[in-house]
Amino acid sequence: MIPMVDLPDGTAIPALGQGTWNIGDDPARQADEVATLRAGIDLGLSLIDTAEMYGEGKSERLVARAIEGQRDRVFLVSKVYPHNASAAGVAKSCAASLERLGTDHIDLYLLHWRGQHPLAETVEAFERLRDAGKIRYWGVSNFDTDDMTELADLQAGRHCATDQVLYHPDERGIEFDLLPWCSAHAMPVMAYSPLGQAGRLLHSAALRKVGQRHGATPGQIALAWSLRSGKIIAIPKASSLAHVRENAAAAAIELTAQDLAEIDAAHPPPHARERLAML
């Protein structure tokens, strides 16, 4: 059973979903990628995250194939480029994403990172999309605490549903100030790349040791660690049917105080504010 996380309005969504960065780029792999996404949906990983940036639309088109005939089972997330985040650009980008995704609405639409367009203009554009039924919720990605404070000061800033940021045992800077800020505002954080970059976390001696106690892989322990607070949504990418099954099984792992202490010792939490890490 996949645990759920509440959005600020109380809507429950899966705490463990599926990322799609680089998915759809290789035509020879697309059939397997579609099958993997569909298997993930069947396993309860029904939150699928994509973006117009991913393969310049290739990822969204592949997601469309995976959700065809079962759109109502999926919580669909996509993102707008910062350079498209003007009033007119948001509307145009959303329309293009809807067409590529083969749907009439996106469940959660995010600003991928901050750019040159005024934040108030982007938020107003998001609000118009929401009023028109093109999106259900909107949020942001790669926003630090100062960005979130600025956002909250906008008239419609209270409607922000999430901040999607880089978070895993080797990148814990958000624990110092951003996570507490989001918690105080009843806003879940969405963790991208929760398994780290280039597979480095999979070689962590601490994660391997904890995994041995649970009969789990280091990757599964990394995901269980991300989900430990009940306020994080993790969106790992799976490369195969076996991998997506492994990811789904991580949701059942409950880490002990000893487990967490050993992970902290090898992958320490921050002791001061850090610059927001991004990919």
Side-chain angles (χ1 to χ4, degrees):
M1 188 74 174
I2 303 301
M4 306 296 280
V5 170
D6 288 341
L7 295 177
D9 72 348
T11 298
I13 63 174
L16 189 57
Q18 302 185 78
T20 63
W21 192 9
N22 294 328
I23 283 179
D25 290 350
D26 182 356
R29 288 192 47 79
Q30 288 181 3
D32 288 341
E33 289 167 344
V34 168
T36 298
L37 286 172
R38 293 181 73 89
I41 295 169
D42 289 339
L43 290 165
L45 309 184
S46 56
L47 185 153
I48 298 180
D49 175 85
T50 186
E52 67 174 351
M53 184 187 82
Y54 298 169
E56 297 300 323
K58 291 187 179 77
S59 170
E60 290 180 323
R61 291 189 183 94
L62 186 126
V63 168
R65 292 169 56 188
I67 67 175
E68 185 178 5
Q70 54 180 345
R71 173 65 182 91
D72 59 347
R73 299 180 64 198
V74 174
F75 189 89
L76 189 57
V77 184
S78 194
K79 310 178 197 74
V80 60
Y81 266 127
H83 60 258
N84 290 335
S86 64
V90 165
K92 183 177 180 180
S93 283
C94 184
S97 287
L98 289 171
E99 182 176 0
R100 287 189 293 266
L101 289 163
T103 185
D104 63 357
H105 73 282
I106 294 168
D107 294 296
L108 176 60
Y109 198 41
L110 307 179
L111 173 60
H112 212 147
W113 65 90
R114 292 201 69 169
Q116 77 274 22
H117 296 293
L119 189 56
E121 182 178 349
T122 304
V123 168
E124 288 171 8
F126 282 163
E127 287 287 287
R128 284 192 290 273
L129 290 175
R130 190 170 66 92
D131 291 343
K134 302 296 185 182
I135 64 174
R136 291 177 60 200
Y137 301 95
W138 60 264
V140 294
S141 181
N142 297 304
F143 271 40
D144 65 16
T145 308
D146 290 340
D147 294 323
M148 295 305 293
T149 300
E150 181 182 343
L151 177 63
D153 286 340
L154 298 177
Q155 184 174 359
R158 68 188 185 281
H159 293 155
C160 181
T162 193
D163 185 11
Q164 184 182 119
V165 292
L166 179 65
Y167 184 54
H168 56 73
D170 275 341
E171 290 290 357
R172 301 180 63 172
I174 66 170
E175 292 178 14
F176 188 80
D177 53 354
L178 181 59
L179 271 184
W181 189 98
C182 290
S183 180
H185 290 79
M187 183 186 300
V189 165
M190 192 174 291
Y192 69 79
S193 296
L195 299 176
Q197 294 83 54
R200 286 191 296 271
L201 274 178
L202 304 183
H203 301 289
S204 163
L207 296 184
R208 186 179 302 111
K209 182 179 178 181
V210 171
Q212 288 171 349
R213 288 200 291 268
H214 290 271
T217 66
Q220 287 177 311
I221 297 304
L223 289 179
W225 179 89
S226 293
L227 302 177
R228 70 196 185 284
S229 70
K231 299 177 182 178
I232 301 287
I233 301 157
I235 48 171
K237 183 179 73 172
S239 58
S240 66
L241 291 174
H243 192 187
V244 77
R245 294 184 187 113
E246 178 182 312
N247 288 348
I253 299 172
E254 295 186 12
L255 299 178
T256 66
Q258 179 186 352
D259 296 334
L260 294 173
E262 291 179 7
I263 294 171
D264 283 351
H267 306 274
H271 298 293
R273 189 176 186 184
E274 299 178 3
R275 184 173 181 175
L276 184 70
M278 294 175 55
L279 289 181

